[in-house]
Amino acid sequence: MSRVLVIESSARQQGSVSRQLTLDFIAKWQAAHPADEITVRDLATEQVPHLDADLLGGWMKPAEQQSESEKAALQRSNLLTEELLAADVLVMAAPMYNFAIPSTLKSWLDHVLRAGVTFKYTETGPKGLLTGKRAFVLTARGGIYSGSPLDHQEPYLRQAMSFIGIHDVTFIHAEGLNMGNEFQEKGLASAKAQLAQVA
């Protein structure tokens, strides 16, 4: 049995293509792996605060020197990090907002990219500690950005995953969604065809 952690980040609950892709992914994964445990964390309904002084204090100060707000921030970071550590497969659903990922997803990453927990510093540089995991990134994009210098999603997320030791990362892009019916249908069909091969 494997554990799958799904991170939703679309601001929309209705009409969200990235959420539609997530549902397709979960259905296909469950059909192929019925014993697997799937956890969904929705960053739109359970927002993770931006990185702030309380979180930094929770990470850096001894427990006896932490304020109540710093302890609460550390507890939240621990919970999110433990979910990631426990997962064998990570799925991130990320609509493209202003050429990049939603700020909610960035906040989640800021809570789980932690020195000494998900990566460590060595004499030869940082080393990821989450080896052996797989990641899937499901994106929804109004235009067509794959391979473009305007795509700040895939390069950033590949770097973030590699930094913590996750090198097996598959991107599934639904592109051209705001370019008219023909492009939209083609983009969705391409993404769904790739999803059919995932499980």
Side-chain angles (χ1 to χ4, degrees):
M1 184 192 79
S2 296
R3 294 180 177 179
V4 181
L5 174 62
V6 178
I7 304 295
E8 292 276 23
S9 64
S10 174
R12 295 189 296 171
Q13 293 293 321
Q14 304 297 324
S16 166
V17 172
S18 67
R19 290 183 185 276
Q20 179 183 334
L21 296 178
T22 301
L23 290 175
D24 286 353
F25 178 96
I26 291 174
K28 289 177 171 59
W29 192 272
Q30 287 180 324
H33 310 278
D36 282 6
E37 176 184 318
I38 298 178
T39 299
V40 178
R41 176 166 289 278
D42 190 337
L43 301 178
T45 57
E46 297 179 88
Q47 292 191 4
V48 176
H50 290 296
L51 179 66
D52 59 14
D54 286 333
L55 183 55
L56 293 175
W59 284 342
M60 297 176 181
K61 293 181 182 178
E64 64 275 10
Q65 295 180 15
Q66 294 172 8
S67 67
E68 290 304 313
S69 58
E70 289 170 340
K71 289 177 182 178
L74 176 59
Q75 184 177 19
R76 180 178 58 245
S77 178
N78 286 342
L79 171 64
L80 298 173
T81 305
E82 286 163 7
E83 283 183 343
L84 177 58
L85 291 171
D88 302 292
V89 178
L90 171 65
V91 181
M92 290 180 285
M96 178 178 275
Y97 293 160
N98 298 317
F99 311 109
I101 62 174
S103 63
T104 50
L105 182 55
K106 175 61 164 60
S107 293
W108 179 80
L109 288 166
D110 284 341
H111 277 69
V112 301
L113 271 64
R114 294 176 55 180
V117 183
T118 55
F119 72 93
K120 66 179 180 179
Y121 292 109
T122 72
E123 292 180 355
T124 56
K127 180 180 180 181
L129 300 176
L130 304 190
T131 56
K133 298 182 187 293
R134 300 172 66 190
F136 296 91
V137 183
L138 316 177
T139 77
R141 301 165 164 197
I144 298 175
Y145 296 99
S146 292
S148 162
L150 295 178
D151 179 3
H152 302 292
Q153 279 188 320
E154 183 169 340
Y156 170 72
L157 289 174
R158 281 196 185 279
Q159 176 62 44
M161 292 298 97
S162 176
F163 192 72
I164 57 177
I166 303 177
H167 301 284
D168 184 353
V169 185
T170 299
F171 280 80
I172 297 177
H173 300 298
E175 297 198 288
L177 301 179
N178 294 336
M179 296 174 63
N181 290 338
E182 182 179 350
F183 281 98
Q184 183 182 69
E185 290 173 5
K186 184 178 179 180
L188 284 172
S190 175
K192 290 183 177 181
Q194 293 177 72
L195 280 172
Q197 301 176 24
V198 161

